[in-house]
Amino acid sequence: MKTEDHSFLKSETIENVSRIFKVLADPTRIKILYLLSQEECNVNHIAEVLEMSQSAVSHQLSMLRNLRLVKYRREGKTLFYSCDDEHVISLLKQAIDHAEHH
Amino acid sequence: MKTEDHSFLKSETIENVSRIFKVLADPTRIKILYLLSQEECNVNHIAEVLEMSQSAVSHQLSMLRNLRLVKYRREGKTLFYSCDDEHVISLLKQAIDHAEHH
DNA sequence: CATACATATGGACATATGCTCATATATAAT
DNA sequence: ATTATATATGAGCATATGTCCATATGTATG
């Protein structure tokens, strides 16, 4: 196989792929996304369930929002977050499956 | 849905999932793994094709070796690396697909 | 308008990560 | 043994990341 025969990835593609996996590479975000894949949650609920500070959760949600991986709806003072990217959840669940069954 | 109804992830699972995605989160490793998914390569070839230093490539291969994502065979002075985890390659290719077709 | 509650955000700090540089190891050939 | 080639590795450094702390913003209620 010669060098010319490679199918190279566009650097834009590489950056996007990297971005997806970076999100999924942090234990906290894994927990948040997995939780949200099961049910819509408000911020304090996430913080309590995952035993994290409100601030830490909010910072992570901010990131997930910017990347369009979660969305939210408001109900009074409360924001309910939920998943907004089925494909990323699919990647996550596959990895979980793989990790659990070794 | 009550807190008790959640199916929680074991912390060991979370760590393993995180480990998988951390590997895939770096552009350099994405390129290396994608290249190796196409053909078996020796270290210098990888360095040339990806325009990286031999040292940088070798460090990354060391990591990928420790995580059993790549294997190698020796031919004289030369080491030929190839992929050794089909599941991780599958995750990578899905993400590439997703990133390319937006 | 004052207060309380829910969430967001900016700055600081500690840790992790990936690269470079220099050097070590391994193998082959002379 | 000496030299050349291929790869590995340790130390150091610059950048990125995730959390805490303090504070700001937004919304409802009295």
Side-chain angles (χ1 to χ4, degrees):
Chain A
M1 201 184 208
K2 292 179 186 167
T3 298
E4 301 85 48
D5 296 333
H6 288 295
S7 81
F8 285 111
L9 298 171
K10 285 188 298 185
S11 63
E12 189 197 340
T13 300
I14 294 172
E15 283 309 313
N16 287 337
V17 169
S18 168
R19 220 186 318 277
I20 293 173
F21 287 131
K22 271 200 174 75
V23 179
L24 295 170
D26 178 65
T28 295
R29 284 189 295 271
I30 291 172
K31 291 183 211 168
I32 293 178
L33 285 173
Y34 187 69
L35 180 57
L36 293 181
S37 80
Q38 297 187 302
E39 60 167 344
E40 192 187 46
C41 291
N42 63 52
V43 180
N44 279 330
H45 181 68
I46 298 173
E48 283 162 25
V49 171
L50 303 186
E51 295 177 305
M52 300 177 52
S53 74
Q54 177 269 321
S55 175
V57 171
S58 189
H59 273 293
Q60 295 294 5
L61 287 173
S62 160
M63 174 181 177
L64 295 173
R65 242 186 298 126
N66 292 334
L67 294 167
R68 317 270 173 195
L69 300 192
V70 301
K71 62 190 173 191
Y72 65 90
R73 67 182 176 82
R74 177 179 287 278
E75 217 173 86
K77 288 172 288 195
T78 307
L79 301 186
F80 288 94
Y81 279 84
S82 56
C83 289
D84 199 27
D85 189 323
E86 273 313 309
H87 184 266
V88 165
I89 295 299
S90 162
L91 287 175
L92 175 59
K93 292 200 168 167
Q94 284 177 62
I96 290 171
D97 234 60
H98 185 60
E100 279 175 345
H101 306 94
H102 190 101
Chain B
M1 200 182 209
K2 294 178 184 166
T3 298
E4 301 85 45
D5 296 331
H6 289 295
S7 83
F8 285 111
L9 299 171
K10 285 188 298 184
S11 64
E12 189 197 340
T13 300
I14 294 171
E15 283 310 313
N16 286 337
V17 169
S18 168
R19 221 186 318 278
I20 293 173
F21 287 132
K22 272 200 174 77
V23 179
L24 294 170
D26 178 66
T28 295
R29 285 190 294 271
I30 291 172
K31 291 182 211 168
I32 292 178
L33 285 172
Y34 186 69
L35 181 57
L36 292 181
S37 79
Q38 297 186 303
E39 60 166 344
E40 191 187 47
C41 291
N42 64 51
V43 181
N44 278 330
H45 182 67
I46 298 172
E48 281 162 26
V49 170
L50 303 185
E51 294 177 307
M52 301 177 52
S53 74
Q54 176 269 321
S55 176
V57 171
S58 189
H59 274 294
Q60 295 294 3
L61 287 173
S62 160
M63 173 181 179
L64 295 173
R65 241 185 299 126
N66 292 334
L67 294 167
R68 316 269 172 197
L69 300 191
V70 301
K71 62 189 173 191
Y72 65 89
R73 66 181 176 83
R74 176 179 288 278
E75 217 173 86
K77 288 173 288 193
T78 306
L79 301 185
F80 288 94
Y81 279 84
S82 56
C83 289
D84 198 28
D85 189 323
E86 272 313 309
H87 185 266
V88 166
I89 294 299
S90 163
L91 287 175
L92 174 59
K93 292 200 167 168
Q94 284 177 62
I96 290 171
D97 233 59
H98 186 59
E100 279 176 345
H101 306 94
H102 190 102

